Amino acid sequence: MVASSSSVQKFGAEAFTLLSAAILIIFLRTYARIRQVGFRNFEADDYLMLLVIIPYSIETSLAYTVGERYHGFTNSAMTAEERAALSPDSDEYHWSFQTESDSRVGGSKIQVAGWTMYATVLWVIKAALCAFYFRLTQGLASYKIRLYIGMGLIFSTYLAVVCSFLFSCRPFHKFWQIHPDPGNLCQPASSKLYIFMVVSLNIISDVYLLLIPIPMLWGAHIPKIKKIGLIVLFSGGIFVMVAGLLRCVLILKNPHTGPVEGASWACRESFVAVATSSLPMTWGWMRQKLRPLFGSLLSSDKYKSKYKGGPEPGSIMLADQNDRTTWHSKHMNSIKSAIRSDPQGSTNRDLFIHTGEASSDEIIPVNHGGIKKEVEFRVSTSTKVV
């Protein structure tokens, strides 16, 4: 089915608008991080979110090219008669570049590259989220183990997805073979293996990442309305999973229009992934800016600080009491809380909550064995004699 010129132009306007909006969101996130910690103190997630602009831009350009240059044609959804008529030995194959045969060959090549860029965008964002959770749970040994597992899961699933894209059809040139029928594994626009691998591994990795912050937020000592808001804030992966499922359903439901519609939904899914993953990372800064408008609804404490270093927005800093080499030992305007994880006090750690422009709601996980919280406020002042 040939993509109409009007539909291609409409998709192009939408796709590049979403791309521009996503880049703007990433730049806003970067600006917020510069205001919070300075460029020199950027962490891995900051660089990864900037890096995602490259594959996202390529993905959008490829998706537009499928419709605009190749008219939505690929080597899928063809009868045996149609394939024979468009054989490389036929006269039609040697016509001008805009023939249907060349369009199907070129469109199939674009599909292989497009799927690869699509997966790269999503998995780089997953890695950025996992790196952000390292900051969010800094000092919590149990969460660190989960995050190392998460990083391993992200790397292994991305490797599996890309390998399925590139090595499921051998020899490689069969990905754009028209006649004879190369089989579904060599039809990148509608390959069931592509769809199964992306959907299953995307959902598995997203669900795992959701299970890292949600239990911690659920047990946080914060007002219920804020708790629900934060859980929603960190649950953006659900929207990405829904968009991914919808994309794959469209491809399977209609193999004729599925490739074009799938490319459209790939760009939408990438935008949703960028937007939902950037919100938790910039919430601390945004809350400070929106506080004059929404007042106490966004306020978690009354303490203010001019320090721009130290813990990141939403971070929980746990450290042994004997360790005084951390940022907190150098800045006395943090709030110190000693948390004992059992009634006997066998485990005694310091919980530091940074306040000020880079702050966020303090998150104190509940220990089901009972916890005892002792709060100590220290104020350090100095007088300079002239």
Side-chain angles (χ1 to χ4, degrees):
M1 181 177 180
V2 181
S4 65
S5 177
S6 60
S7 63
V8 170
Q9 295 302 321
K10 182 179 179 180
F11 163 69
E14 178 190 3
F16 286 104
T17 298
L18 292 177
L19 174 63
S20 301
I23 294 175
L24 180 62
I25 290 173
I26 293 174
F27 283 165
L28 177 63
R29 178 197 181 281
T30 303
Y31 172 76
R33 291 285 293 148
I34 292 175
R35 293 287 299 171
Q36 291 165 350
V37 300
F39 184 78
R40 293 184 178 181
N41 294 318
F42 269 24
E43 300 288 346
D45 57 291
D46 303 311
Y47 295 111
L48 286 170
M49 288 304 296
L50 287 171
L51 177 65
V52 83
I53 294 176
I54 298 175
Y56 187 14
S57 300
I58 297 175
E59 176 197 7
T60 301
S61 300
L62 292 175
Y64 177 72
T65 303
V66 167
E68 195 276 334
R69 187 171 186 177
Y70 298 111
H71 314 295
F73 283 126
T74 65
N75 67 345
S76 60
M78 298 179 67
T79 64
E81 292 76 14
E82 290 173 333
R83 292 182 183 279
L86 291 173
S87 169
D89 297 327
S90 67
D91 293 335
E92 184 179 356
Y93 190 87
H94 300 286
W95 290 356
S96 66
F97 182 76
Q98 294 299 327
T99 65
E100 181 177 339
S101 178
D102 287 331
S103 294
R104 289 190 181 276
V105 171
S108 299
K109 293 178 180 179
I110 292 294
Q111 286 288 335
V112 177
W115 275 97
T116 305
M117 289 298 103
Y118 162 77
T120 300
V121 170
L122 296 185
W123 264 260
V124 169
I125 292 175
K126 295 178 198 289
L129 272 175
C130 199
F132 169 66
Y133 292 156
F134 268 106
R135 293 194 286 111
L136 184 71
T137 60
Q138 187 173 355
L140 297 174
S142 61
Y143 282 94
K144 183 176 292 188
I145 295 173
R146 300 179 197 179
L147 289 168
Y148 281 130
I149 295 174
M151 277 297 187
L153 180 65
I154 292 169
F155 176 78
S156 59
T157 52
Y158 176 72
L159 188 63
V161 167
V162 172
C163 285
S164 70
F165 291 164
L166 302 180
F167 303 115
S168 60
C169 176
R170 308 304 298 172
F172 194 77
H173 66 80
K174 281 192 173 183
F175 272 124
W176 49 87
Q177 176 176 301
I178 297 174
H179 181 71
D181 188 349
N184 182 259
L185 288 178
C186 295
Q187 297 174 12
S190 58
S191 172
K192 293 180 180 179
L193 177 64
Y194 278 22
I195 295 172
F196 172 77
M197 290 293 291
V198 169
V199 170
S200 59
L201 297 184
N202 187 35
I203 290 178
I204 289 172
S205 54
D206 277 346
V207 169
Y208 185 88
L209 290 176
L210 284 173
L211 292 177
I212 294 175
I214 300 303
M216 179 178 59
L217 292 170
W218 187 256
H221 291 290
I222 54 178
K224 183 173 292 186
I225 184 65
K226 292 182 181 179
K227 182 185 299 185
I228 295 174
L230 286 172
I231 289 175
V232 172
L233 188 68
F234 280 83
S235 300
I238 296 176
F239 299 100
V240 180
M241 288 187 284
V242 171
L245 283 171
L246 182 58
R247 176 181 190 249
C248 293
V249 168
L250 289 172
I251 294 175
L252 293 174
K253 186 177 180 181
N254 192 334
H256 294 278
T257 61
V260 176
E261 294 179 349
S264 303
W265 276 99
C267 295
R268 294 165 188 157
E269 182 180 355
S270 297
F271 170 76
V272 172
V274 169
T276 56
S277 62
S278 296
L279 282 175
M281 302 176 190
T282 57
W283 174 245
W285 178 80
M286 290 175 59
R287 190 190 63 183
Q288 295 293 329
K289 301 305 178 184
L290 295 175
R291 183 174 293 173
L293 298 177
F294 296 96
S296 60
L297 183 63
L298 297 174
S299 178
S300 62
D301 55 67
K302 297 180 181 180
Y303 304 96
K304 296 185 180 294
S305 168
K306 294 182 180 180
Y307 292 103
K308 294 189 178 183
E312 310 304 341
S315 62
I316 310 168
M317 299 296 293
L318 282 172
D320 294 333
Q321 285 189 333
N322 295 329
D323 182 9
R324 291 293 178 261
T325 62
T326 62
W327 178 91
H328 309 284
S329 63
K330 302 174 184 178
H331 301 83
M332 300 306 296
N333 70 324
S334 292
I335 306 171
K336 172 190 173 186
S337 303
I339 293 188
R340 294 176 181 172
S341 60
D342 60 78
Q344 303 299 324
S346 59
T347 302
N348 201 0
R349 293 179 177 179
D350 292 344
L351 170 62
F352 296 90
I353 303 167
H354 182 55
T355 59
E357 183 176 3
S359 69
S360 185
D361 288 292
E362 55 268 35
I363 302 170
I364 307 171
V366 175
N367 187 295
H368 295 292
I371 61 173
K372 179 180 180 180
K373 179 180 178 183
E374 298 175 356
V375 182
E376 176 184 355
F377 298 95
R378 298 183 181 180
V379 179
S380 176
T381 60
S382 61
T383 305
K384 183 177 180 181
V385 180
V386 180

